[in-house]
Amino acid sequence: MILMKDIVREGHPVLRQVAHEVKTPLTEQDINIIKEMQEFLINSQDPELSEKYDLRAGVGLAAPQINIPKRMFVIYLEDDDERLYQYALVNPKIVSHSVEKSYLTSGEGCLSVDRDVPGYVLRHARVTIKAYDALSEKEVKLRLKGLPAIVFQHELDHLNGVMFYDHINKENPFHLPENAIAVEN
């Protein structure tokens, strides 16, 4: 079971590396890693289990965050319409995106960052993704907007050695371009 002690924190070199492509079909070891990552997210959102094991709630977790430099991440979240987004994506790529930007009104956080980082993180408002889904064992194409699109881009950044605060405007952390879409979380 993955615990908070297993999640590497900012400053660890793996968080700044570009992760390696993963061969498909997946090995048993890769499948087990993904299952453990998914279990962590589900447990972290369960009030009893998160308290029992001292877990911070998360909606996404990338393999580099547990010191595995592979292009894999899991997402587990519900949108405003209570639609569940549960994915275990391998070798994900953005194949198209909107010009329009969006941002979380409360700012972004990260399981690998133990401090508040004030400022808006601008992301593409809509993205189309291609990836291998470890749950269905098939190639998938997803069109996402709102919170799921933001979470996907945050996790994809981890696979490219980018931290969320790298996107915050250094001179004016709360600067917003015209027509940026506010997303509540």
Side-chain angles (χ1 to χ4, degrees):
M1 179 177 172
I2 295 173
L3 300 171
M4 290 306 297
K5 69 175 178 54
D6 302 311
I7 295 175
V8 297
R9 300 310 203 279
E10 64 181 317
H12 192 290
V14 74
L15 294 174
R16 291 299 188 176
Q17 294 172 7
V18 175
H20 307 290
E21 289 276 322
V22 179
K23 285 189 180 16
T24 56
L26 298 175
T27 64
E28 196 172 315
Q29 181 185 22
D30 286 339
I31 291 168
N32 288 336
I33 290 166
I34 285 169
K35 284 180 179 173
E36 284 188 25
M37 290 167 60
Q38 208 160 34
E39 178 189 41
F40 172 86
L41 290 183
I42 292 167
N43 291 347
S44 80
Q45 294 178 35
D46 179 303
E48 286 180 23
L49 292 174
S50 66
E51 187 175 334
K52 179 179 179 180
Y53 295 109
D54 196 25
L55 306 176
R56 277 179 44 207
V59 293
L61 183 65
Q65 290 181 273
I66 56 169
N67 202 18
I68 297 173
K70 292 185 174 185
R71 298 189 76 76
M72 313 187 297
F73 65 73
V74 296
I75 290 176
Y76 187 83
L77 72 116
E78 278 187 10
D79 66 12
D80 292 338
D81 301 323
E82 295 184 10
R83 176 178 171 204
L84 179 64
Y85 291 81
Q86 182 174 4
Y87 293 105
L89 301 176
V90 176
N91 302 327
K93 290 179 176 56
I94 293 176
V95 293
S96 69
H97 61 78
S98 64
V99 173
E100 196 171 35
K101 299 291 187 180
S102 66
Y103 64 96
L104 291 178
T105 56
S106 60
E108 288 188 25
C110 180
L111 292 168
S112 293
V113 178
D114 292 329
R115 61 188 174 99
D116 256 353
V117 182
Y120 293 133
V121 179
L122 293 171
R123 305 274 186 193
H124 300 294
R126 292 173 304 285
V127 291
T128 301
I129 295 117
K130 280 189 177 174
Y132 179 83
D133 181 26
L135 302 180
S136 67
E137 297 182 26
K138 293 180 184 156
E139 293 291 327
V140 294
K141 185 176 183 180
L142 307 171
R143 287 182 177 82
L144 302 174
K145 65 181 181 178
L147 182 59
I150 289 171
V151 172
F152 176 89
Q153 291 170 83
H154 178 111
E155 298 310 323
L156 184 63
D157 274 353
H158 278 304
L159 306 185
N160 294 320
V162 177
M163 300 295 284
F164 75 92
Y165 48 74
D166 296 341
H167 296 287
I168 297 174
N169 182 317
K170 305 292 179 259
E171 280 74 51
N172 184 355
F174 293 97
H175 171 75
L176 291 173
E178 239 180 88
N179 303 321
I181 299 170
V183 176
E184 304 289 329
N185 63 325

